[in-house]
Each structure stands twice: as C-alpha cells, then as structure tokens.
Amino acid sequence: MRPADMLVVDIGLVNLRFDGRRLVRRDPGAPTLILVGLPPQHVLEEVPPQVATGATTLGPMGAVTAGSTQLAFSVPADIDGLELSLTSLLNWARLVPMTVPTGLRSPDTAGSTVFQGIPRSVIEFPARLLITYDEPVDWVGRQEPQQVDGRTALWHTRLHGARDGEVLLRAFATVADRSGLTANNPLTIEKLEDIVTLTSRAELSGPGGSLPIEVPSAPLQAEQFIMTPMGASAHLRGAWEPLSPTARGQLQNLGKRAPDLVTYDHITGLGRDQYIRVVSRGHLSTGHEALLVSELRRLFVARPNDGIVAYLQREDRVVVKQPEVQYGPGTGFTHGGREMPFRALRITDRVTPPLHEPVSDHDALWVVQSSGDDYEFTVIGTDHENRKISFTMPLVFVPDSLTQAEQEAQLKELYAGDLHTTTPNATDQKLMTRMNRSMGGQVMAMAQPPDGALGSTSHAVGKLTFGLGVTGPAGRPRVGLPHVSAAEVRVPAVEQFTPNAGYLAVTFNETFLRQSMEKHPAGAYLSLDEAVSLTFGAEKAGGVASPNAAVKLITSQAGVIPDVFKTGTAGDVVDALPLADIKAAFGGAKLLGFIDLGRYLQSIAKDSLGTLRQLGDDQIEALLRAPNGLLPAPVLRIRDLADGQGKELRYVWKTALGERDVQPGDDSKDVLDVSHAVLTLDARTVRSKEAVDKATVEGRLTDFALNFGGMARVEIADLKFRTGPGKKPDVTASGLELKFSNELEFINSLRSALPADGFGGGAYVEVQPSGIRAGYELALPAIGVGVFTLSNVALGAELVIPFDGKPVSFRFSVSERSHPFNVSVSLFGGGGYFSMLVDATGVQQIEGAIEFGGSAALNLGVASGGVSVMAGIRFEFDKAADRVSLSGYLRCNGFLCVLGIITVSVEFYLELTYEKHGRESVVRGRGTLTVSVRIAFFSKSVSLELERSFSGAPADPTFADCVLPRHWHEYCPAFAP
C-alpha cells in the first residue's frame, strides 16, 4: 500500500527467490512469473426506475464491486534478475503479459486464475464478465508517484495495443450474479454470455459432434482501458454480425442460448458506469427485423439538501431495421398468405420514443411508450393491386434470443383474448383496441383478383381486425406473422338494396382460405358475418316476385350471392346445402305477392354450382336464353360501365320451382301450381356520375297455374313484365286458360263464347303504382229459344297482382247487382247475378241473387187490373266484414182501375233474413202491406209494417260444454286396450 498515490497492490512471485541482493530464478527451465493483484475495477450500481425532475423520494442506491483483478507477467529469459523493490516490480514494460488461451473457459481449479498449470491475466470488467487480452499488449504506467503543482496523481496503468493504442479484448467466462442489483440494468447475465460467445473464439461442435457451429466472432475493442486502485476508466465497444438461421437452430437444439447482441458500448470513470448501450436483435409482430436499443446514462439531478446527485437511468427504444416485409406464398402462412390481404407492409417509423418499461431478454412484449400508451407504428400496406393503404397499429417486439417454443408460447399469451365477443372483459377490450385498426374507408383489394378482373375484390374498408400466426418461413425462427381475421367493408351491390347497410362485418371464406378462390364454385373470397336480407319490392320484379334473399358470400365475379354451398372438413365445397338450409336463405321471399317462395325451391345439383364461376355478361345472357339454363342462386353484382360514365347494378336469377314443401300439420290448399315452372328475374340499375338512376326490370314466370278455392283454375304459359326508364310497364301473358270445377263446372259449357286468349284482343291490362289488373268483360247476346229468353248476360274475370305485398286475387262474375241478367218464359220472368272473389287464403266474397215470378193483366173496358207475384233468394258472404246473410222474400202486387177515376193498388212484401256478424247471429222477419187509393185528384197511401227478430246463440257449444270432465275420464278407459 502506497498512500501517496493510493496504490494498493498484491505481488506474487513464481519461480523466483531472493539471493540476498536480487530476485533470481529457482529453476531455469520452469516458467517465471510475476503476479499482480489489483482492487476491483468495476462497481455494479443499482438502477432505479425513471427519476422525474425534482424527485425527492429516492434514497441512497445500493452498489457492489466486481471481483479483484489479477495480471500475470512472464519474465523473459534474457532477464537474469530483478530488484526486490516495488518500483522494479511495477516496471511491466519489460515483462510479457500472459493471456488465457483461446477456447478455455474454466480454470484448472474453480475460483483460480490458473489455466493449463500457468496463472493467467484475468480482469473482471464489467462486473460478472471475465476478460483477457486477445493480442499482445503492453501495460504503460509510472512506477513512482507523479506530482504536478504539489498534487499527486492517482496511480494508474494504461493498456496499450499495437493498433495505435487500441486494444482487443476477449471475454471467456461469466461469474454468477453476486449482487441482486441487476434489475433495470441492460447488461444482464444473458447479454454477458452473448459477449462470451461472440468474443471467446471457442469452437462449438454441432449436435452429435458434427461440424462446428459457425458463430460470428469479433473481439471487444478498447479505445481506452486504464486501471486504478479505485476502478477502471474504460471505453469498450463491440459489434457482431447476426447468426445464420442454421447456427441459431443448432445452438437452440443444443440447449444453448443463441446470442442476439448487435453492439455493445460501455464507458466508465474510475469503475463507475457513465454510459452503457446494448443493442439486441429481434422482430416485430409483423415480421419486420428490429433492434432493441437499451441505454444506461448517469443523470445528474438536483436534490434538496443533497446538492447534485447522479443516478443511473435506463432508456429503451425500438429501432426498425427492416422497413418493409414481403408476404405471400412461401413466407410461412398457414393458408399460403391468403389470410393476409397485403403483399407488403412498410413501417415508416425508424425509432420509437422511450419505452414504458425495460425489455428483458426473456419476454416478448407490446411496445408501450413511457406515457403508458401503446406506441402506434405508422404502416403503409401494399395490396394485391399495388395500392398503398396507410394505417397505424401497435406491435409486439420479440427478442431473437427466444427459442421457437418460447416465441410461440409468449405470442399466444400476448394475443390471448376473444376479439369477437359481445361481452369483453378488460383483457379482451385491450386486445380489441390493439387489433382493430381503422382504415378510414380506404379502398383496397381483400384478395388477389383473378386475371383480367382488376377491382373485382376491392372494397372501401372501415376496419381490419388483425390476428397473429406463430408459424414462420423456413430457415428462420418462427415469429409473429400478421393476418386479417375479420374486417368491416362496404359492399356497393348490397348498399343499392339496403341503403343503410354501411360497413358490413366479414371474414375470409373458409374455402378461399383453406383451398383457394379457384376451388370455390362461385369464386367466393369473403363471407358476411350476418347474412343480409335484401328487401326487393315486387315492383322491381314485375309483380311476379319479391325475391328477398339472405346474401352472404362475396365473390370476385359473380357478385354477392346466398351461401348455398356445403363445405367439407378440408374447406372444399362438397355439395350444395341441404334443401332446408337453401329455403332458409330465402326467408320472406314472396311469389305473386303472398306465396312463400322458399317453399317451392328445389335442391341444387352440385354440378350446377359451377355456373356461378366467372359470370360475365355473355355467360349470363346465354343462361337466360337457354331453355334449360339455370342460375342456381341469385347473383347481386355491380360493375363499371365500359365508357367509365357510371356503374351498373344487376340482380339476376333463374331457378326452377317445384312442388310445395308441406310442413307437418299443414292441411291448407295450395293456390299455386309451379311443379313445372321456371322463375327468371333480371333487374338492372345504371347510375351515372350525375347520380341519375335508370332502372330496367324484367320478370318472367313460365308454366304455372293458380287454383282458387277449388272452383276456378287459371293456367298461364308465360307471364312477363318489363319496364324501363321513361316507359310504361309492359305486361304480357300468353297461353292463358280459365277452367271451372265443382260447383261452377257448369260455366265451362259457356267456354265456346269466351276468347281463346283472355289477355289477347279485347282484354284490358292496367299497370298502376299499386299493381297490375288484367282481365276481360264479355257481354253475351240475347238467347231466345221458343218461349225462353235469356238476356243482359255479362261474364267477367279479373286477375290482380298487387305490388304492395297483398296476395294475388281472382274475381269472376255473371252479371252484376246493378245490371242483373234477365230470364223470361212466356208470362213468367226473373233475373239475377253472381260474383265471387277468391285469393290464396280462400273465398273472400260471394254475392248472388235469383228472382222469379209471374204477372197477369185484365182489361174489361170499364175496369182494368193486374197482379204479379215475385219470389227470390239473395246470398251474401263478406270475409273481411265477417258477415254472412241469407234472405228469402215474396212480393205481391195488385191494382184495379175503374173508369180511370178510381184506382186501388195493394202491395204485399214479406222477407225472412238470416244474418251472422262474427259470432252473433240473428233471424229477422219483416212484412209490409201498402194500400194506395187514388180518386180523381186525391190520393192516399197507408202502410202496415211488422218486424220480428230472434237472436241465436253466440256460438255453437264446445266439446267441453257438452261433456263433463269426469264423464270423459270414465269414457276413455272403457276403450283402452
């Protein structure tokens, strides 16, 4: 110990003895060494959390020293002896520094510095890292205290190399942490082990003793390395190339740590850290290579009562090393990259702000700013049509040092949560915020469009929900590969029919993901989360149908269609959906205004599904023209016009109908017979840039019939509707035939008087906003056969197809109440009328009356008179008013005139009526006698009326009213087996 310059040193001599005057060799053939022990050269200091300016809560920081340093010097053979003095023993310029041999990591005896039987130079710097020289060096220093201006300099010695004083050092081992003060310190034991691996030059054999693992090796460079009794003042730095994927995998297979250290800078003053910079390799969860830069600085802070104090403060940042990453087939995606709509992602940020907490070597974690908020990287994605889409998203940093299994486990934990739950917990909500990224309505291609069909997979996107895969490309560690698990997009074709649809939630179609777009019969690539029911008014389909359909699949060229495909376990389309599921997709669709279209749909043959692929206009027209051509599902599509002046929206469907699907317990009669019918709908809307819509609609239903109440049947071979901009709707029906049955079968005898085509010449067709009225009115000429005369007979038939959802109806009449037909036979005559209104629910209204009687007159000159007797029955049924009435009447008239002066007339009227309103019925009888007397210019009438009514029971008695419960219970066991 030399107090003058604070020197503290231990001197050890090997193979030297004092001969009374000098130190000489004991054995000339044995190694002769001088061992120098110096105090610890580094202080490991506690690193507190972030210290705010003006903070007063921190107390003293803990600190421990490194182990002592031993320098070993070999005495050259040309030196015969050494003086036994401190000055002589500190003269190291003439001695040879001893280094630890390359490849050795452990001394001969634990805790010693002896390697291969010879003591070596071992310096613990920084704490827990053992270093030695990597090339011949010299120690330059003064042997005597140095005084300047009355002050003595601290004893020190400088390490000097052959490269302009720069020294190359090599780490060969680490020692266990003795302090417990490594929290927040970027120089973790793992980073020190990386320095050993990257500088020791030790060859690592592959598995089973195979070829050595190629680990990049480069020594530490010391711009300055000065040792003093109070610690070293040094500046060390190191930089290393990354490990090859093969070497990384080999190390991990051996259970060894794969170093991820890029650069290391360390500056100390008298053993105290001033600056440490550790840069580690890693990846972001998008696959971009990134660097974690951890810096430790000594920060000077003013403390009340303590003056200026200096704490160590750590600051971490992420630096994006690889700005752009390419995606696609062969890059490690589970589904060949189809789950990732971006071909590339470019991150524009180069360096993040300081992170919220230190990043350890053991954990992947979200990049969070010091404020506690996620740092959102600015990302520019390139879609499949080379569009650039800009958005922001938080990312995870994954250290490269983690094994594949560790990466998988940690990424799964970081991304654990339900992104689609309706009742998210705190974890789910946080993950939703991170993964649901707003696209702001930017247009992008959600899938690779087919050849020559640019724009066919493009949508305005409101939001993308990212997921994370844990597979990676071959030859590199598995890292997070982003994919899109869900999205919200605008579908223009759907918006035309549902203006308030807005952004629709979608996911990638299963067949598209697991197979390809080409494997799907319709080329589907997106599936709506919730099928969208299209409300398609009957006026847009010619009154023939309101083809409501639940569209669910978005295809590249067929447009938007219902999901009628059955998918196998491998994601391939194996068949069409069962008929029940197909009918469910058309819930609410109406035919002729009131008939559930879904109940008449038929199974779809798997072979016909292929017609939905690549439906161009030519293919659609060919299908519509072909007698047997069918389009198995409605197609909703939108395309740009050839001249670029607007867009065309088209809804087209051609399907065969069949027998009605009769549900259990359904015993209702079917008004519609479409067992051989084909329904065709083709609606086009052209929207110009001036937002002017021009709609053209064609509807067609062939080979169908309408049955009304089992009394009338209308058969129609072809019913067509066409309307266009500025034109009156054109409705035509051909092959119409009207037949009567049961009670009205007698009318068929009059068919010879009806036109062959009821909607041909002489018929009427009225198209109004409320619907279509089509029919005929035919007046028959008077028929006279002998004394029999039938006149004023008019036959009428009218078919009404409404546009407001009301059922189609049919009315038939033989004359009308206001114009009854007349019948006369000699002196007897009468007349009547009949009309019937029916629709799918049955008879709605029936009205009819028949009257017959006779009359006679007598003139004797002096007196004349006459008498007439008429009797009739009138029946009326009105379902809407819930009223039924039946009336019978007798009317008698007589008069007598004498000399034209006195006239007496008598009228007797008797009527009996049964009326029922709802559940109440009444029988009413009414009689009237009227006597009129006219004498010359005086006349007088007297009427006598009598009316009586009898109310019936409100309803027939029920079974429960007629049979007591106890009687019923006795009755049933009597017939039990």
Side-chain angles (χ1 to χ4, degrees), residues 734-738 751-761:
S734 60
L736 182 144
E737 186 175 2
L738 176 63
R751 290 182 59 190
S752 59
L754 300 179
D757 189 344
F759 288 94

Side-chain angles (χ1 to χ4, degrees), residues 656-659 673-679 701-705 713 717:
L657 304 179
E659 296 290 344
D673 180 4
V674 289
S675 55
H676 303 289
V678 174
L679 173 65
L701 185 62
T702 62
D703 298 324
F704 71 101
R713 177 181 174 89

Side-chain angles (χ1 to χ4, degrees), residues 450-475:
D451 293 340
L454 293 178
S456 61
T457 61
S458 297
H459 299 269
V461 180
K463 181 179 72 175
L464 291 180
T465 299
F466 285 90
L468 188 75
V470 292
T471 59

Side-chain angles (χ1 to χ4, degrees), residues 328-412:
T331 56
F333 285 97
T334 303
H335 302 297
R338 291 181 293 275
E339 64 267 55
M340 183 58 171
F342 295 110
R343 293 190 301 106
L345 287 181
R346 170 175 288 275
I347 297 178
T348 61
D349 306 83
R350 301 309 300 268
V351 182
T352 69
L355 304 187
H356 177 61
E357 58 185 13
V359 181
S360 72
D361 297 311
H362 310 286
D363 299 312
L365 49 79
W366 290 97
V367 179
V368 180
Q369 303 178 75
S370 57
S371 62
D373 299 325
D374 288 333
Y375 179 72
E376 297 191 356
F377 290 82
T378 300
V379 181
I380 298 177
T382 303
D383 71 359
H384 292 285
E385 296 184 2
N386 291 323
R387 294 188 190 91
K388 304 298 182 182
I389 295 89
S390 177
F391 57 97
T392 63
M393 65 184 304
L395 299 174
V396 170
F397 178 82
V398 184
D400 272 1
S401 59
L402 297 178
T403 64
Q404 295 182 10
E406 290 171 338
Q407 288 188 32
E408 289 184 16
Q410 294 190 23
L411 288 173
K412 287 180 179 178

